[in-house]
Amino acid sequence: MTGKRAGGARRIQIMDAEEIERTIARMASEIVESNGSDLLLVGIHTRGIPLARRLAERISVLTGAEVPVGRLDITLYRDDVGPWRPAHQQPLLKETVLPVPINDLVVFLVDDVLFTGRTIRAALGSLVDYGRPRAVRLAVLVDRGHRELPIAADVVGKVLETTSTEDVQVHLAEVDGDDGVWVGKEAGHGG
Amino acid sequence: MAVESASELKRKDVVGIASLEPAEIQLILDTAEELLEVARRPIKKVPVLRGATVVNLFMEPSTRTRFSFEMAEKRLSADTLNFSASTSSVSKGETLVDTARNLMAMAPDYIVIRHPNVGAPHRLAEVVPASIINAGDGINEHPTQALLDAFTMRQHFGRLEGLNVVIAGDIRHSRVARSNAFLLNKMGAKLRFAAPASLLPAGVEELGATTFLRLEPALEGADVVMMLRIQRERQAAVNFPSAREYYDFFALTEERLALAAPHAVVMHPGPMNRGVEIDSAVADGERSLILDQVTNGVAVRMAILYLLAGGRGAATADS
């Protein structure tokens, strides 16, 4: 663990690249053990997508079968986006791609950080508009607590004790250029 | 891409292309691209505008634009109210404002307006707090048509910049041509108008197009050929001798289309007069994007409704 000064605030590194890879490998075997075949991994924008791809690679090594990977933009299902709000910036829409029909599959939603649970509620609302999976499960790299809805993850990389004002930053090389997880007081993305 | 996308529409209304920044046009097109996917789902509806009320105020006949808006509104889960009024009862600006104030008593979030008078949506935007979307005002603008046309061109060619676009026919009475001219100039396309002199508007040179009085020379090297409907309802007989004569000189036939670039595509805002401005063989041919335009229109209108939801309390678009 290394402390890092950035913008005057202290950031503590919780995971490095090696630990993230180890964690993803463990998550992949948990997914295989409990769910077997007929899997679809669906990454939630932004960092859920590379995470889902890495999990799928690990799973296909374990099982010898390709696992389809989709990507989901939950913006149109958020509970804080709509015409009743005062003037604000509408979030930019991103691409949703589900490569196969989701009926009767076990769909694993994949995200980097589980926090309030509101993103996952929106994702569940979105998924049912595409079909009726056999089951929907949730895999996250970091569970930082402070749920505001009755939502729990099935596969968790790491549980982090945080205060609600702390910022959890996950970096993944595909998006950020490097791998790592930090906790700090800086403003930024925090799932 | 030539023009960077804006991060938001900082406005309450979309009343014309004239007042939109290129980056805002890009944002609308980018947003529409993601919304196109909603139509391909088993359940073609997203909840983002639930609780919002949209009044469709159509003071002029319209089928496809009204249906397209209504479908866009419903796919975003908005509630819709349709008002069609005869033009005679609301032809004066004052009456329009009164109508709008009465509608505002029902607290709509959006008013989509088509009106025979130039500037009616702009006037409405000043007096009511709802977001106003212009669905065609007289011979002035039809911004959502120009946006869906641009979307369709971009979808096909991957860009707007540098495209050679011919708009042919009744330019004089066409708000579609005006809005397209504003948009294509802002986005770096090269525009040509082809029309008989009697169907060109006064001040055509201000619209930034090279003007041709015959169709054939305009078509040379064209990437897009957009044929306009002959609007008999807006014309004096003097402008337009006969459909037969018009066909002979200005209709898009397969022979004339061969003068355009080999990869050229054909567009038409509809409704078409087959055998007047366009041959059926061309309208139904493999280079026709006419039905893509209809599909794309819903996505473009969804994008505007979605993006304007952030603009409550923003200043009115222009005046």
Side-chain angles (χ1 to χ4, degrees), chain A residues 75-79 81-97 121 126 128-131, chain B residues 6-8 27 31 34-35 37-38 41-43 45-50 52 109-110 306-307 309-312 314:
Chain A
T75 306
L76 297 168
Y77 293 80
R78 280 167 57 162
D79 61 6
V81 171
W84 60 88
R85 296 175 61 206
H88 63 279
Q89 183 175 333
Q90 285 285 80
L92 298 181
L93 301 185
K94 295 168 192 156
E95 198 177 27
T96 291
V97 178
R121 186 212 61 84
S126 175
V128 299
D129 283 357
Y130 287 92
Chain B
S7 58
E8 62 183 316
L27 173 64
T31 303
E34 304 304 346
L35 288 166
E37 183 264 339
V38 175
R41 301 177 183 192
I43 296 176
K45 201 175 183 74
V46 292
V48 71
L49 288 191
R50 66 196 189 285
D109 300 280
Y110 301 84
Y306 170 74
L307 292 168
R312 298 310 232 36

Side-chain angles (χ1 to χ4, degrees), chain B residues 148-161:
Chain B
L148 78 87
D149 291 338
F151 183 91
T152 306
M153 291 177 212
R154 199 180 76 154
Q155 186 179 49
H156 188 84
F157 290 103
R159 68 193 159 91
L160 292 172
E161 196 183 23

Side-chain angles (χ1 to χ4, degrees), chain B residues 61-266:
Chain B
S62 164
T63 307
R64 88 194 52 211
T65 302
R66 188 165 57 81
F67 282 5
S68 179
F69 266 108
E70 200 173 340
M71 181 153 279
E73 292 150 11
K74 289 181 167 164
R75 286 201 171 145
L76 295 174
S77 302
D79 295 316
T80 62
L81 288 170
N82 296 314
F83 283 75
S84 299
S86 74
T87 55
S88 58
S89 64
V90 288
S91 58
K92 294 192 168 64
E94 206 177 331
T95 316
L96 169 69
V97 169
D98 273 345
T99 307
R101 287 199 173 126
N102 277 283
L103 291 174
M104 282 317 293
M106 290 182 263
D109 300 280
Y110 301 84
I111 297 176
V112 175
I113 178 171
R114 165 165 290 190
H115 199 281
N117 289 2
V118 170
H122 308 64
R123 175 86 182 102
L124 206 55
E126 288 167 9
V127 297
V128 300
S131 286
I132 305 300
I133 301 172
N134 184 359
D137 63 322
I139 58 168
N140 180 38
E141 280 228 45
H142 191 350
T144 59
Q145 178 71 43
L147 285 160
L148 78 87
D149 291 338
F151 183 91
T152 306
M153 291 177 212
R154 199 180 76 154
Q155 186 179 49
H156 188 84
F157 290 103
R159 68 193 159 91
L160 292 172
E161 196 183 23
L163 286 184
N164 288 302
V165 181
V166 175
I167 301 181
D170 188 357
I171 313 280
R172 179 176 185 155
H173 300 93
S174 178
R175 55 197 176 204
V176 175
R178 277 174 64 83
S179 287
N180 263 296
F182 294 144
L183 190 151
L184 292 168
N185 280 319
K186 286 182 189 213
M187 303 308 276
K190 294 178 208 142
L191 183 60
R192 306 169 189 170
F193 284 155
S198 63
L199 294 181
L200 285 169
V204 64
E205 54 285 346
E206 288 159 26
L207 290 174
T210 313
T211 303
F212 296 83
L213 297 176
R214 296 287 300 266
L215 185 55
E216 290 84 354
L219 288 173
E220 206 170 298
D223 300 301
V224 179
V225 185
M226 187 186 300
M227 301 306 294
L228 299 175
R229 183 172 66 94
I230 287 299
Q231 303 197 37
R232 298 183 200 207
E233 73 274 19
R234 290 188 209 277
Q235 291 178 350
V238 63
N239 294 330
F240 190 72
S242 81
R244 181 73 219 172
E245 190 181 342
Y246 186 82
Y247 177 87
D248 287 344
F249 287 96
F250 271 92
L252 189 62
T253 59
E254 284 185 308
E255 284 163 355
R256 288 197 176 114
L257 183 56
L259 299 170
H263 58 256
V265 294
V266 176

Side-chain angles (χ1 to χ4, degrees), chain A residues 147-177:
Chain A
R147 219 74 79 237
E148 293 169 4
L149 294 170
I151 279 169
D154 300 277
V155 174
V156 179
K158 193 177 189 76
V159 176
L160 270 186
E161 297 282 335
T162 63
T163 67
S164 59
T165 55
E166 270 173 329
D167 180 44
V168 175
Q169 295 182 343
V170 172
H171 282 196
L172 293 173
E174 298 89 329
V175 178
D176 308 288

